Amino acid sequence: MPRLSAVRRVLVATVGSRPGAAIASRVLPPVDRWVWRASRRQRTLSSLLSGTPIVLLSTTGTRTGRTRTVPLIGLDDGDDVVVVASSFTDSRDPAWLLNLRSTPQATLARAARSWPVVPVELDEGPERERLWAQAVATYPPWADYQRRSPRRFPVVRLVPER
């Protein structure tokens, strides 16, 4: 990840704090979706402010069957994109992960491009540990979120559908 400016470091640290995470978890997702549409699918507010690589993941709602789209930090790993199911510090897995477990296919979007993906949840092992370390290096607040959360954050590899 490129070195962050002082302003971006303060923003990332603020979102990493308990009050910042509580506010960001409610405010950022809808604002990110709005900025994504307004910028012709090029940027989100989170990516502009923090410099983190943001993707939009569209899943099928478990109960409703409707498409649900959520902005997430997406880490490239070859042709795959890796996401972390932190949901800030919530004690429950995020809805998008439950949706993927129920219907294991989704659509990923980045910079006006979208493609179908299949999730692979990484539970244990060196691959999960390597990707978790890469995730924390990209977005350091995840380490703080993990310390404050009662659950172990799932790491999910999104593999392009072939």
Side-chain angles (χ1 to χ4, degrees), residues 2-13 47-52:
R3 201 161 149 72
L4 297 178
S5 70
V7 171
R8 285 183 171 171
R9 281 194 307 274
V10 168
L11 288 169
V12 168
S47 66
L48 291 169
L49 295 178
S50 71
T52 55

Side-chain angles (χ1 to χ4, degrees), residues 95-136:
W96 64 262
L97 181 61
L98 301 177
N99 292 344
L100 282 177
R101 287 174 178 160
S102 171
T103 306
Q105 48 193 206
T107 301
L108 199 61
R110 175 188 284 154
R113 182 176 163 255
S114 64
W115 62 99
V117 292
V118 176
V120 177
E121 199 168 334
L122 305 171
D123 295 322
E124 300 292 333
E127 182 182 21
R128 188 216 184 270
E129 297 312 313
R130 175 183 68 81
L131 293 170
W132 173 251
Q134 179 184 342
V136 170

Side-chain angles (χ1 to χ4, degrees), residues 14-162:
T14 300
V15 172
S17 70
R18 280 183 202 266
I23 293 167
S25 68
R26 289 168 182 80
V27 173
L28 283 180
V31 173
D32 277 341
R33 285 188 291 270
W34 182 86
V35 172
W36 177 259
R37 286 189 300 271
S39 69
R40 295 189 179 126
R41 299 172 55 115
Q42 296 296 316
R43 300 276 186 258
T44 64
L45 181 62
S46 295
S47 66
L48 291 169
L49 295 178
S50 71
T52 55
I54 303 295
V55 296
L56 270 74
L57 178 67
S58 297
T59 61
T60 301
T62 300
R63 290 189 314 250
T64 65
R66 295 176 60 192
T67 300
R68 303 292 184 193
T69 301
V70 60
L72 301 169
I73 295 173
L75 310 168
D76 290 328
D77 191 50
D79 290 338
D80 304 340
V81 174
V82 176
V83 293
V84 175
S86 70
S87 195
F88 295 88
T89 59
D90 198 338
S91 61
R92 297 168 295 166
D93 286 332
W96 64 262
L97 181 61
L98 301 177
N99 292 344
L100 282 177
R101 287 174 178 160
S102 171
T103 306
Q105 48 193 206
T107 301
L108 199 61
R110 175 188 284 154
R113 182 176 163 255
S114 64
W115 62 99
V117 292
V118 176
V120 177
E121 199 168 334
L122 305 171
D123 295 322
E124 300 292 333
E127 182 182 21
R128 188 216 184 270
E129 297 312 313
R130 175 183 68 81
L131 293 170
W132 173 251
Q134 179 184 342
V136 170
T138 301
Y139 187 67
W142 270 328
D144 294 330
Y145 295 166
Q146 183 63 84
R147 278 192 287 280
R148 295 193 312 251
S149 179
R151 65 186 175 86
R152 185 170 190 227
F153 295 155
V155 174
V156 180
R157 176 182 293 284
L158 300 170
V159 180
E161 206 172 71
R162 307 237 187 256

